[in-house]
PDB file of all heavy atoms in Angstrom:
ATOM      1  N   ASP A  10     119.924  85.097 149.964  1.00 98.00           N
ATOM      2  CA  ASP A  10     119.598  86.093 148.944  1.00 98.00           C
ATOM      3  C   ASP A  10     118.127  86.465 149.043  1.00 98.00           C
ATOM      4  O   ASP A  10     117.350  85.829 149.760  1.00 98.00           O
ATOM      5  CB  ASP A  10     119.886  85.510 147.546  1.00 98.00           C
ATOM      6  CG  ASP A  10     120.407  86.549 146.576  1.00 98.00           C
ATOM      7  OD1 ASP A  10     120.084  87.748 146.747  1.00 98.00           O
ATOM      8  OD2 ASP A  10     121.144  86.171 145.648  1.00 98.00           O
ATOM      9  N   ASP A  11     117.770  87.491 148.273  1.00 98.00           N
ATOM     10  CA  ASP A  11     116.364  87.834 148.056  1.00 98.00           C
ATOM     11  C   ASP A  11     115.909  87.004 146.860  1.00 98.00           C
ATOM     12  O   ASP A  11     116.442  87.171 145.756  1.00 98.00           O
ATOM     13  CB  ASP A  11     116.278  89.335 147.770  1.00 98.00           C
ATOM     14  CG  ASP A  11     114.875  89.774 147.397  1.00 98.00           C
ATOM     15  OD1 ASP A  11     113.982  88.923 147.170  1.00 98.00           O
ATOM     16  OD2 ASP A  11     114.674  91.006 147.329  1.00 98.00           O
ATOM     17  N   ILE A  12     114.960  86.124 147.064  1.00 99.00           N
ATOM     18  CA  ILE A  12     114.574  85.177 146.008  1.00 99.00           C
ATOM     19  C   ILE A  12     114.065  85.891 144.758  1.00 99.00           C
ATOM     20  O   ILE A  12     114.169  85.345 143.659  1.00 99.00           O
ATOM     21  CB  ILE A  12     113.535  84.169 146.554  1.00 99.00           C
ATOM     22  CG1 ILE A  12     113.493  82.903 145.688  1.00 99.00           C
ATOM     23  CG2 ILE A  12     112.152  84.792 146.686  1.00 99.00           C
ATOM     24  CD1 ILE A  12     112.715  81.748 146.304  1.00 99.00           C
ATOM     25  N   THR A  13     113.570  87.105 144.909  1.00 98.00           N
ATOM     26  CA  THR A  13     113.014  87.813 143.747  1.00 98.00           C
ATOM     27  C   THR A  13     114.093  88.242 142.755  1.00 98.00           C
ATOM     28  O   THR A  13     113.773  88.637 141.639  1.00 98.00           O
ATOM     29  CB  THR A  13     112.217  89.070 144.165  1.00 98.00           C
ATOM     30  OG1 THR A  13     113.101  90.016 144.765  1.00 98.00           O
ATOM     31  CG2 THR A  13     111.092  88.716 145.122  1.00 98.00           C
ATOM     32  N   ASN A  22     106.821  80.511 145.553  1.00 99.00           N
ATOM     33  CA  ASN A  22     106.245  81.479 146.481  1.00 99.00           C
ATOM     34  C   ASN A  22     105.576  80.744 147.640  1.00 99.00           C
ATOM     35  O   ASN A  22     104.830  79.794 147.418  1.00 99.00           O
ATOM     36  CB  ASN A  22     105.208  82.326 145.733  1.00 99.00           C
ATOM     37  CG  ASN A  22     104.579  83.397 146.610  1.00 99.00           C
ATOM     38  OD1 ASN A  22     105.112  83.723 147.669  1.00 99.00           O
ATOM     39  ND2 ASN A  22     103.464  83.945 146.167  1.00 99.00           N
ATOM     40  N   ALA A  23     105.833  81.207 148.863  1.00 99.00           N
ATOM     41  CA  ALA A  23     105.136  80.688 150.049  1.00 99.00           C
ATOM     42  C   ALA A  23     103.863  81.512 150.217  1.00 99.00           C
ATOM     43  O   ALA A  23     103.850  82.543 150.886  1.00 99.00           O
ATOM     44  CB  ALA A  23     106.037  80.801 151.279  1.00 99.00           C
ATOM     45  N   ALA A  24     102.809  81.054 149.565  1.00 98.00           N
ATOM     46  CA  ALA A  24     101.578  81.831 149.458  1.00 98.00           C
ATOM     47  C   ALA A  24     100.573  81.419 150.532  1.00 98.00           C
ATOM     48  O   ALA A  24     100.879  80.622 151.424  1.00 98.00           O
ATOM     49  CB  ALA A  24     100.984  81.619 148.069  1.00 98.00           C
ATOM     50  N   ASN A  25      99.367  81.980 150.446  1.00 98.00           N
ATOM     51  CA  ASN A  25      98.247  81.512 151.284  1.00 98.00           C
ATOM     52  C   ASN A  25      97.145  81.011 150.349  1.00 98.00           C
ATOM     53  O   ASN A  25      97.237  81.156 149.132  1.00 98.00           O
ATOM     54  CB  ASN A  25      97.749  82.629 152.209  1.00 98.00           C
ATOM     55  CG  ASN A  25      97.274  83.840 151.436  1.00 98.00           C
ATOM     56  OD1 ASN A  25      96.308  83.766 150.672  1.00 98.00           O
ATOM     57  ND2 ASN A  25      97.969  84.956 151.590  1.00 98.00           N
ATOM     58  N   GLU A  26      96.108  80.426 150.914  1.00 98.00           N
ATOM     59  CA  GLU A  26      95.117  79.727 150.094  1.00 98.00           C
ATOM     60  C   GLU A  26      94.376  80.641 149.124  1.00 98.00           C
ATOM     61  O   GLU A  26      93.831  80.177 148.123  1.00 98.00           O
ATOM     62  CB  GLU A  26      94.126  78.965 150.986  1.00 98.00           C
ATOM     63  CG  GLU A  26      94.775  77.752 151.650  1.00 98.00           C
ATOM     64  CD  GLU A  26      93.794  76.844 152.378  1.00 98.00           C
ATOM     65  OE1 GLU A  26      92.640  77.265 152.612  1.00 98.00           O
ATOM     66  OE2 GLU A  26      94.185  75.710 152.707  1.00 98.00           O
ATOM     67  N   GLY A  30      98.070  87.322 147.415  1.00 96.00           N
ATOM     68  CA  GLY A  30      99.137  88.138 147.989  1.00 96.00           C
ATOM     69  C   GLY A  30      99.072  88.165 149.504  1.00 96.00           C
ATOM     70  O   GLY A  30      98.128  87.656 150.111  1.00 96.00           O
ATOM     71  N   GLY A  31     100.122  88.726 150.107  1.00 97.00           N
ATOM     72  CA  GLY A  31     100.217  88.784 151.564  1.00 97.00           C
ATOM     73  C   GLY A  31     101.512  89.449 151.954  1.00 97.00           C
ATOM     74  O   GLY A  31     102.035  90.275 151.209  1.00 97.00           O
ATOM     75  N   GLY A  32     102.050  89.076 153.121  1.00 98.00           N
ATOM     76  CA  GLY A  32     103.321  89.642 153.584  1.00 98.00           C
ATOM     77  C   GLY A  32     104.476  88.738 153.218  1.00 98.00           C
ATOM     78  O   GLY A  32     104.370  87.901 152.322  1.00 98.00           O
ATOM     79  N   GLY A  33     105.593  88.892 153.920  1.00 98.00           N
ATOM     80  CA  GLY A  33     106.744  88.011 153.745  1.00 98.00           C
ATOM     81  C   GLY A  33     107.198  87.906 152.302  1.00 98.00           C
ATOM     82  O   GLY A  33     107.195  88.873 151.542  1.00 98.00           O
ATOM     83  N   VAL A  34     107.603  86.708 151.936  1.00 98.00           N
ATOM     84  CA  VAL A  34     108.136  86.486 150.592  1.00 98.00           C
ATOM     85  C   VAL A  34     107.034  86.667 149.542  1.00 98.00           C
ATOM     86  O   VAL A  34     107.306  87.115 148.412  1.00 98.00           O
ATOM     87  CB  VAL A  34     108.826  85.106 150.509  1.00 98.00           C
ATOM     88  CG1 VAL A  34     107.852  83.954 150.531  1.00 98.00           C
ATOM     89  CG2 VAL A  34     109.730  85.021 149.293  1.00 98.00           C
ATOM     90  N   ASP A  35     105.822  86.361 149.901  1.00 98.00           N
ATOM     91  CA  ASP A  35     104.678  86.542 148.996  1.00 98.00           C
ATOM     92  C   ASP A  35     104.541  88.017 148.595  1.00 98.00           C
ATOM     93  O   ASP A  35     104.420  88.354 147.403  1.00 98.00           O
ATOM     94  CB  ASP A  35     103.421  86.053 149.735  1.00 98.00           C
ATOM     95  CG  ASP A  35     102.206  85.863 148.840  1.00 98.00           C
ATOM     96  OD1 ASP A  35     102.329  86.018 147.608  1.00 98.00           O
ATOM     97  OD2 ASP A  35     101.127  85.551 149.395  1.00 98.00           O
ATOM     98  N   GLY A  36     104.590  88.900 149.583  1.00 98.00           N
ATOM     99  CA  GLY A  36     104.502  90.332 149.304  1.00 98.00           C
ATOM    100  C   GLY A  36     105.652  90.800 148.433  1.00 98.00           C
ATOM    101  O   GLY A  36     105.465  91.572 147.485  1.00 98.00           O
ATOM    102  N   ALA A  37     106.859  90.304 148.737  1.00 98.00           N
ATOM    103  CA  ALA A  37     108.044  90.704 147.965  1.00 98.00           C
ATOM    104  C   ALA A  37     107.915  90.246 146.511  1.00 98.00           C
ATOM    105  O   ALA A  37     108.262  90.991 145.577  1.00 98.00           O
ATOM    106  CB  ALA A  37     109.303  90.108 148.605  1.00 98.00           C
ATOM    107  N   ILE A  38     107.412  89.044 146.308  1.00 99.00           N
ATOM    108  CA  ILE A  38     107.269  88.515 144.946  1.00 99.00           C
ATOM    109  C   ILE A  38     106.219  89.321 144.177  1.00 99.00           C
ATOM    110  O   ILE A  38     106.440  89.696 143.009  1.00 99.00           O
ATOM    111  CB  ILE A  38     106.937  87.008 144.981  1.00 99.00           C
ATOM    112  CG1 ILE A  38     108.176  86.222 145.423  1.00 99.00           C
ATOM    113  CG2 ILE A  38     106.422  86.518 143.621  1.00 99.00           C
ATOM    114  CD1 ILE A  38     107.941  84.731 145.690  1.00 99.00           C
ATOM    115  N   THR A  77     102.861  77.865 146.243  1.00 99.00           N
ATOM    116  CA  THR A  77     102.459  76.726 147.070  1.00 99.00           C
ATOM    117  C   THR A  77     102.040  77.258 148.427  1.00 99.00           C
ATOM    118  O   THR A  77     102.489  78.337 148.854  1.00 99.00           O
ATOM    119  CB  THR A  77     103.594  75.680 147.174  1.00 99.00           C
ATOM    120  OG1 THR A  77     103.090  74.496 147.785  1.00 99.00           O
ATOM    121  CG2 THR A  77     104.780  76.193 147.974  1.00 99.00           C
ATOM    122  N   GLY A  79     101.993  76.504 152.290  1.00 99.00           N
ATOM    123  CA  GLY A  79     102.495  75.700 153.395  1.00 99.00           C
ATOM    124  C   GLY A  79     101.491  75.660 154.538  1.00 99.00           C
ATOM    125  O   GLY A  79     100.548  76.458 154.591  1.00 99.00           O
ATOM    126  N   PRO A  80     101.690  74.720 155.469  1.00 99.00           N
ATOM    127  CA  PRO A  80     100.809  74.635 156.632  1.00 99.00           C
ATOM    128  C   PRO A  80     101.119  75.721 157.659  1.00 99.00           C
ATOM    129  O   PRO A  80     102.273  76.106 157.836  1.00 99.00           O
ATOM    130  CB  PRO A  80     101.137  73.258 157.203  1.00 99.00           C
ATOM    131  CG  PRO A  80     102.573  73.053 156.833  1.00 99.00           C
ATOM    132  CD  PRO A  80     102.744  73.694 155.484  1.00 99.00           C
ATOM    133  N   PRO A 115     112.020  79.291 148.777  1.00 99.00           N
ATOM    134  CA  PRO A 115     112.228  79.919 150.089  1.00 99.00           C
ATOM    135  C   PRO A 115     111.951  78.867 151.163  1.00 99.00           C
ATOM    136  O   PRO A 115     111.520  77.752 150.846  1.00 99.00           O
ATOM    137  CB  PRO A 115     111.148  81.013 150.113  1.00 99.00           C
ATOM    138  CG  PRO A 115     109.998  80.381 149.378  1.00 99.00           C
ATOM    139  CD  PRO A 115     110.632  79.492 148.293  1.00 99.00           C
ATOM    140  N   ALA A 116     112.181  79.221 152.409  1.00 98.00           N
ATOM    141  CA  ALA A 116     111.918  78.297 153.520  1.00 98.00           C
ATOM    142  C   ALA A 116     110.421  78.372 153.864  1.00 98.00           C
ATOM    143  O   ALA A 116     110.000  79.087 154.779  1.00 98.00           O
ATOM    144  CB  ALA A 116     112.785  78.658 154.721  1.00 98.00           C
ATOM    145  N   ILE A 117     109.653  77.589 153.109  1.00 99.00           N
ATOM    146  CA  ILE A 117     108.186  77.624 153.183  1.00 99.00           C
ATOM    147  C   ILE A 117     107.703  77.390 154.627  1.00 99.00           C
ATOM    148  O   ILE A 117     108.208  76.495 155.314  1.00 99.00           O
ATOM    149  CB  ILE A 117     107.597  76.531 152.256  1.00 99.00           C
ATOM    150  CG1 ILE A 117     108.001  76.790 150.803  1.00 99.00           C
ATOM    151  CG2 ILE A 117     106.081  76.455 152.388  1.00 99.00           C
ATOM    152  CD1 ILE A 117     107.819  75.563 149.903  1.00 99.00           C
ATOM    153  N   SER A 118     106.737  78.187 155.033  1.00 99.00           N
ATOM    154  CA  SER A 118     106.049  78.079 156.343  1.00 99.00           C
ATOM    155  C   SER A 118     106.867  78.532 157.540  1.00 99.00           C
ATOM    156  O   SER A 118     106.337  78.535 158.665  1.00 99.00           O
ATOM    157  CB  SER A 118     105.538  76.655 156.612  1.00 99.00           C
ATOM    158  OG  SER A 118     104.333  76.401 155.932  1.00 99.00           O
ATOM    159  N   THR A 119     108.141  78.895 157.348  1.00 98.00           N
ATOM    160  CA  THR A 119     108.970  79.184 158.529  1.00 98.00           C
ATOM    161  C   THR A 119     108.926  80.641 158.975  1.00 98.00           C
ATOM    162  O   THR A 119     109.605  80.997 159.944  1.00 98.00           O
ATOM    163  CB  THR A 119     110.445  78.793 158.285  1.00 98.00           C
ATOM    164  OG1 THR A 119     110.992  79.663 157.284  1.00 98.00           O
ATOM    165  CG2 THR A 119     110.573  77.353 157.864  1.00 98.00           C
ATOM    166  N   GLY A 120     108.148  81.470 158.286  1.00 98.00           N
ATOM    167  CA  GLY A 120     108.019  82.868 158.679  1.00 98.00           C
ATOM    168  C   GLY A 120     106.720  83.070 159.437  1.00 98.00           C
ATOM    169  O   GLY A 120     106.553  82.587 160.567  1.00 98.00           O
ATOM    170  N   ILE A 121     105.792  83.736 158.787  1.00 98.00           N
ATOM    171  CA  ILE A 121     104.496  84.070 159.393  1.00 98.00           C
ATOM    172  C   ILE A 121     103.771  82.803 159.862  1.00 98.00           C
ATOM    173  O   ILE A 121     103.078  82.821 160.889  1.00 98.00           O
ATOM    174  CB  ILE A 121     103.658  84.864 158.368  1.00 98.00           C
ATOM    175  CG1 ILE A 121     104.308  86.234 158.106  1.00 98.00           C
ATOM    176  CG2 ILE A 121     102.213  85.024 158.820  1.00 98.00           C
ATOM    177  CD1 ILE A 121     103.840  86.953 156.864  1.00 98.00           C
ATOM    178  N   TYR A 122     103.930  81.680 159.183  1.00 98.00           N
ATOM    179  CA  TYR A 122     103.211  80.452 159.523  1.00 98.00           C
ATOM    180  C   TYR A 122     103.850  79.658 160.663  1.00 98.00           C
ATOM    181  O   TYR A 122     103.282  78.675 161.128  1.00 98.00           O
ATOM    182  CB  TYR A 122     103.027  79.570 158.288  1.00 98.00           C
ATOM    183  CG  TYR A 122     101.889  80.002 157.382  1.00 98.00           C
ATOM    184  CD1 TYR A 122     101.593  79.308 156.208  1.00 98.00           C
ATOM    185  CD2 TYR A 122     101.086  81.103 157.692  1.00 98.00           C
ATOM    186  CE1 TYR A 122     100.541  79.689 155.382  1.00 98.00           C
ATOM    187  CE2 TYR A 122     100.043  81.501 156.868  1.00 98.00           C
ATOM    188  CZ  TYR A 122      99.770  80.790 155.715  1.00 98.00           C
ATOM    189  OH  TYR A 122      98.723  81.168 154.895  1.00 98.00           O
ATOM    190  N   GLY A 123     105.056  80.055 161.116  1.00 98.00           N
ATOM    191  CA  GLY A 123     105.589  79.584 162.388  1.00 98.00           C
ATOM    192  C   GLY A 123     106.135  78.168 162.466  1.00 98.00           C
ATOM    193  O   GLY A 123     106.354  77.637 163.568  1.00 98.00           O
ATOM    194  N   PHE A 124     106.385  77.540 161.327  1.00 98.00           N
ATOM    195  CA  PHE A 124     106.935  76.165 161.349  1.00 98.00           C
ATOM    196  C   PHE A 124     108.375  76.218 161.863  1.00 98.00           C
ATOM    197  O   PHE A 124     109.171  77.031 161.414  1.00 98.00           O
ATOM    198  CB  PHE A 124     106.909  75.608 159.920  1.00 98.00           C
ATOM    199  CG  PHE A 124     106.889  74.103 159.819  1.00 98.00           C
ATOM    200  CD1 PHE A 124     105.738  73.437 159.412  1.00 98.00           C
ATOM    201  CD2 PHE A 124     108.017  73.355 160.100  1.00 98.00           C
ATOM    202  CE1 PHE A 124     105.706  72.050 159.307  1.00 98.00           C
ATOM    203  CE2 PHE A 124     108.003  71.973 159.987  1.00 98.00           C
ATOM    204  CZ  PHE A 124     106.835  71.310 159.584  1.00 98.00           C
ATOM    205  N   ARG A 126     112.194  76.044 162.204  1.00 98.00           N
ATOM    206  CA  ARG A 126     113.078  76.163 161.042  1.00 98.00           C
ATOM    207  C   ARG A 126     113.933  74.924 160.783  1.00 98.00           C
ATOM    208  O   ARG A 126     114.103  74.529 159.625  1.00 98.00           O
ATOM    209  CB  ARG A 126     113.967  77.394 161.207  1.00 98.00           C
ATOM    210  CG  ARG A 126     113.184  78.670 161.070  1.00 98.00           C
ATOM    211  CD  ARG A 126     113.916  79.906 161.577  1.00 98.00           C
ATOM    212  NE  ARG A 126     113.036  81.061 161.447  1.00 98.00           N
ATOM    213  CZ  ARG A 126     113.007  81.864 160.388  1.00 98.00           C
ATOM    214  NH1 ARG A 126     113.829  81.671 159.384  1.00 98.00           N
ATOM    215  NH2 ARG A 126     112.163  82.874 160.337  1.00 98.00           N
ATOM    216  N   VAL A 153     116.849  78.961 149.325  1.00 98.00           N
ATOM    217  CA  VAL A 153     117.150  80.364 149.568  1.00 98.00           C
ATOM    218  C   VAL A 153     116.895  80.713 151.027  1.00 98.00           C
ATOM    219  O   VAL A 153     115.766  80.591 151.520  1.00 98.00           O
ATOM    220  CB  VAL A 153     116.306  81.270 148.667  1.00 98.00           C
ATOM    221  CG1 VAL A 153     116.693  82.731 148.875  1.00 98.00           C
ATOM    222  CG2 VAL A 153     116.489  80.876 147.197  1.00 98.00           C
ATOM    223  N   ALA A 154     117.968  81.136 151.691  1.00 98.00           N
ATOM    224  CA  ALA A 154     117.866  81.638 153.061  1.00 98.00           C
ATOM    225  C   ALA A 154     117.758  83.156 153.001  1.00 98.00           C
ATOM    226  O   ALA A 154     118.309  83.793 152.101  1.00 98.00           O
ATOM    227  CB  ALA A 154     119.103  81.241 153.850  1.00 98.00           C
ATOM    228  N   PHE A 155     117.051  83.716 153.974  1.00 98.00           N
ATOM    229  CA  PHE A 155     116.902  85.175 154.008  1.00 98.00           C
ATOM    230  C   PHE A 155     117.679  85.778 155.174  1.00 98.00           C
ATOM    231  O   PHE A 155     117.651  86.979 155.372  1.00 98.00           O
ATOM    232  CB  PHE A 155     115.407  85.523 154.104  1.00 98.00           C
ATOM    233  CG  PHE A 155     115.057  86.869 153.562  1.00 98.00           C
ATOM    234  CD1 PHE A 155     115.524  87.288 152.327  1.00 98.00           C
ATOM    235  CD2 PHE A 155     114.234  87.729 154.279  1.00 98.00           C
ATOM    236  CE1 PHE A 155     115.191  88.537 151.815  1.00 98.00           C
ATOM    237  CE2 PHE A 155     113.891  88.978 153.781  1.00 98.00           C
ATOM    238  CZ  PHE A 155     114.372  89.380 152.548  1.00 98.00           C
ATOM    239  N   SER A 156     118.369  84.932 155.933  1.00 98.00           N
ATOM    240  CA  SER A 156     119.194  85.401 157.055  1.00 98.00           C
ATOM    241  C   SER A 156     120.390  84.461 157.173  1.00 98.00           C
ATOM    242  O   SER A 156     120.359  83.335 156.652  1.00 98.00           O
ATOM    243  CB  SER A 156     118.400  85.375 158.366  1.00 98.00           C
ATOM    244  OG  SER A 156     118.132  84.044 158.743  1.00 98.00           O
ATOM    245  N   ASP A 159     119.350  81.253 158.911  1.00 98.00           N
ATOM    246  CA  ASP A 159     118.651  80.313 158.025  1.00 98.00           C
ATOM    247  C   ASP A 159     119.614  79.629 157.069  1.00 98.00           C
ATOM    248  O   ASP A 159     119.439  78.454 156.739  1.00 98.00           O
ATOM    249  CB  ASP A 159     117.565  81.036 157.227  1.00 98.00           C
ATOM    250  CG  ASP A 159     116.276  81.154 158.012  1.00 98.00           C
ATOM    251  OD1 ASP A 159     116.144  80.461 159.030  1.00 98.00           O
ATOM    252  OD2 ASP A 159     115.409  81.942 157.606  1.00 98.00           O
TER     253      ASP A 159
HETATM  254  N1  AR6 B   1     113.522  86.124 149.672  1.00 65.10           N
HETATM  255  C1  AR6 B   1     113.744  84.933 150.279  1.00 65.10           C
HETATM  256  N2  AR6 B   1     113.163  84.561 151.440  1.00 65.10           N
HETATM  257  C2  AR6 B   1     112.333  85.459 152.027  1.00 65.10           C
HETATM  258  C3  AR6 B   1     112.039  86.707 151.449  1.00 65.10           C
HETATM  259  C4  AR6 B   1     112.677  87.040 150.224  1.00 65.10           C
HETATM  260  N3  AR6 B   1     112.463  88.215 149.598  1.00 65.10           N
HETATM  261  N4  AR6 B   1     111.164  87.359 152.278  1.00 65.10           N
HETATM  262  C5  AR6 B   1     110.933  86.544 153.320  1.00 65.10           C
HETATM  263  N5  AR6 B   1     111.642  85.399 153.167  1.00 65.10           N
HETATM  264  P1  AR6 B   1     106.938  83.894 155.002  1.00 65.10           P
HETATM  265  P2  AR6 B   1     105.166  81.551 155.425  1.00 65.10           P
HETATM  266  C6  AR6 B   1     111.686  84.212 154.041  1.00 65.10           C
HETATM  267  O1  AR6 B   1     106.427  84.562 156.218  1.00 65.10           O
HETATM  268  O2  AR6 B   1     105.751  81.355 156.779  1.00 65.10           O
HETATM  269  C7  AR6 B   1     102.350  85.554 153.623  1.00 65.10           C
HETATM  270  O3  AR6 B   1     101.568  86.604 154.126  1.00 65.10           O
HETATM  271  C8  AR6 B   1     111.314  84.398 155.495  1.00 65.10           C
HETATM  272  O4  AR6 B   1     112.407  84.924 156.229  1.00 65.10           O
HETATM  273  O5  AR6 B   1     107.115  84.703 153.773  1.00 65.10           O
HETATM  274  O6  AR6 B   1     105.020  80.369 154.523  1.00 65.10           O
HETATM  275  C9  AR6 B   1     101.538  84.610 152.749  1.00 65.10           C
HETATM  276  O7  AR6 B   1     100.576  85.300 151.988  1.00 65.10           O
HETATM  277  C10 AR6 B   1     111.020  82.940 155.882  1.00 65.10           C
HETATM  278  O8  AR6 B   1     112.253  82.255 156.136  1.00 65.10           O
HETATM  279  O9  AR6 B   1     105.978  82.629 154.548  1.00 65.10           O
HETATM  280  C11 AR6 B   1     100.918  83.720 153.766  1.00 65.10           C
HETATM  281  O10 AR6 B   1      99.765  84.315 154.342  1.00 65.10           O
HETATM  282  C12 AR6 B   1     110.418  82.361 154.603  1.00 65.10           C
HETATM  283  O11 AR6 B   1     110.720  83.293 153.562  1.00 65.10           O
HETATM  284  C13 AR6 B   1     101.984  83.584 154.829  1.00 65.10           C
HETATM  285  O12 AR6 B   1     102.795  84.748 154.699  1.00 65.10           O
HETATM  286  C14 AR6 B   1     108.917  82.154 154.651  1.00 65.10           C
HETATM  287  O13 AR6 B   1     108.316  83.201 155.398  1.00 65.10           O
HETATM  288  C15 AR6 B   1     102.883  82.388 154.563  1.00 65.10           C
HETATM  289  O14 AR6 B   1     103.763  82.228 155.645  1.00 65.10           O
END
Side-chain angles (χ1 to χ4, degrees):
D10 215 333
D11 174 350
I12 201 168
T13 65
N22 182 17
N25 59 63
E26 289 189 346
V34 72
D35 194 5
I38 288 172
T77 190
I117 299 163
S118 280
T119 67
I121 293 163
Y122 280 180
F124 204 108
R126 290 165 183 268
V153 183
F155 205 48
S156 68
D159 276 346

